[in-house]
Amino acid sequence: MDTLVTVLFLAVAAANLLPMFGAASRERLQILYGVTLEDPNLVILMRHRAILLGIVGALLAAAAFQPPLRPAAILAGLVSMLSFVLIARLVGEANSQLRRVARVDIVASAVLLIAAALHWA
């Protein structure tokens, strides 16, 4: 059972780590999210967002192997992913790439909830 929990945490970690590659450049962010980033201030914010997602992903990956980290990782992961889904829904009019990100976050949140239930079972 613990192996399954580890795999589930790693899957959710990957979903959070992949956007971190957007921190490398404006171009990667534009491809990842389907947006035009002309304002340097917006580039700074989006690159910082990529780093923060990497931190959440790293915590989830560490929690896969360190069970005492799991409660904090579950909370951080769910808050991060579900807040994006909520904001995207409240604002509306998201492009197809952002809708894809929201769908990934919904699936990853469900996987994380399954991992949490198995962890505490």
Side-chain angles (χ1 to χ4, degrees), residues 3 8 11 13 24 28-29 35 40 48 58 60 65 68 75 77 79 84-85 87-88 96 103 110-111 114 116 118 120:
T3 301
L8 294 175
R28 287 182 191 240
L29 286 167
V35 295
H48 184 253
L60 287 159
F65 302 103
L75 180 63
V79 168
F84 179 81
V85 171
I87 291 167
S96 62
R103 285 191 303 272
V111 170
I114 292 167
L118 292 172
W120 282 308

Side-chain angles (χ1 to χ4, degrees), residues 77-119:
L78 289 174
V79 168
S80 174
M81 293 182 290
L82 294 177
S83 66
F84 179 81
V85 171
L86 178 63
I87 291 167
R89 178 170 284 243
L90 290 173
V91 172
E93 300 181 32
N95 67 26
S96 62
Q97 287 94 326
L98 291 179
R99 287 193 306 272
R100 182 194 70 222
V101 170
R103 285 191 303 272
V104 167
D105 281 356
I106 290 168
V107 171
S109 294
V111 170
L112 188 55
L113 287 170
I114 292 167
L118 292 172
H119 169 71

Side-chain angles (χ1 to χ4, degrees), residues 24-45:
S25 70
R26 170 195 325 243
E27 292 75 22
R28 287 182 191 240
L29 286 167
Q30 291 180 150
I31 291 167
L32 193 61
Y33 296 113
V35 295
T36 302
L37 299 172
E38 297 299 328
D39 183 347
N41 296 299
L42 188 53
V43 173
I44 292 167
L45 290 170

